[in-house]
Amino acid sequence: MGTKTVDEAGAETGTEAKSDEAKVDTTKVEETTEATEAVTDAAAAADESEEAAGDEVDGLREDTQEGPSGVGQGAGAVVSAGLGLVSLTGSWVATVAAARETLVGQLGTSSSASVATQVKEVYGDAWATTALIGGLFALAALIVGVVVLARPAFGAPGKPQPAWIKSVAWGGVALGVIGLLLAVAKYTDIILGLPSTS
């Protein structure tokens, strides 16, 4: 019986040891499983972030390839505003053309001509030439500004025109209209007409 007791105690101790080993093995399996799941989750997250980054890059590529970038429209708006400003302030082209017209008037007018004829030929024609060239610059500013503003209607649908382009183009159109009105008024002698010689 003593042996039985020892055997039974040994058997019980062995069973407890086996169950402790089983618990340790089960804990190790659970830890390994959790680590594997964590690695799998990390790999899945990395794949998702790579896909998201790839989608963003593809989106950027599509945006750049889809339609115009607006550089041409921006340049057109700036050109329109510049032409409108030149139409108001004058240009070297107008200065040279006016000087040439003055020279032609001096050469074509005899010294015996009346004062009214001399004033008209020497100064009046030069003034009209300056007004004409200013009007051409104003008309060019007006046309370029209108084309820039109308361009989105014929461009990529759903792509709005940046606000600064619209603002500058409207400025060019406004300067063109003002310059054109002033040019017509100067050419027809409404503004700063030739002085009376009588």
Side-chain angles (χ1 to χ4, degrees):
M1 277 196 149
T3 310
K4 267 187 176 179
T5 307
V6 172
D7 287 341
E8 286 174 4
E12 288 175 8
T13 307
T15 306
E16 288 176 9
K18 285 182 185 175
S19 81
D20 286 344
E21 287 176 9
K23 286 181 184 175
V24 170
D25 289 341
T26 306
T27 306
K28 287 181 182 177
V29 169
E30 288 175 0
E31 289 176 358
T32 306
T33 305
E34 289 175 3
T36 305
E37 288 175 357
V39 169
T40 305
D41 291 344
D47 288 343
E48 287 177 7
S49 65
E50 285 179 9
E51 288 176 9
D55 290 344
E56 288 178 11
V57 170
D58 289 343
L60 290 174
R61 285 184 187 149
E62 288 174 4
D63 286 347
T64 57
Q65 293 173 356
E66 269 183 14
S69 62
V71 173
Q73 294 177 30
V78 171
V79 166
S80 173
L83 288 171
L85 191 62
V86 168
S87 74
L88 295 177
T89 60
S91 68
W92 65 270
V93 176
T95 303
V96 169
R100 181 183 183 279
E101 197 63 38
T102 299
L103 181 62
V104 168
Q106 287 173 348
L107 293 173
T109 306
S110 66
S111 58
S112 61
S114 68
V115 174
T117 304
Q118 289 180 5
V119 168
K120 182 188 176 306
E121 292 296 324
V122 175
Y123 299 108
D125 290 347
W127 180 249
T129 301
T130 303
L132 180 65
I133 291 176
L136 292 175
F137 274 101
L139 185 63
L142 186 61
I143 290 171
V144 172
V146 167
V147 167
V148 169
L149 291 171
R151 175 67 178 96
F154 304 103
K159 189 161 186 176
Q161 190 176 46
W164 74 269
I165 292 178
K166 287 181 184 178
S167 298
V168 175
W170 275 114
V173 168
L175 289 172
V177 168
I178 294 169
L180 198 57
L181 291 174
L182 287 175
V184 169
K186 287 190 293 186
Y187 192 81
T188 57
D189 290 337
I190 294 174
I191 295 177
L192 298 174
L194 292 174
S196 174
T197 56
S198 58

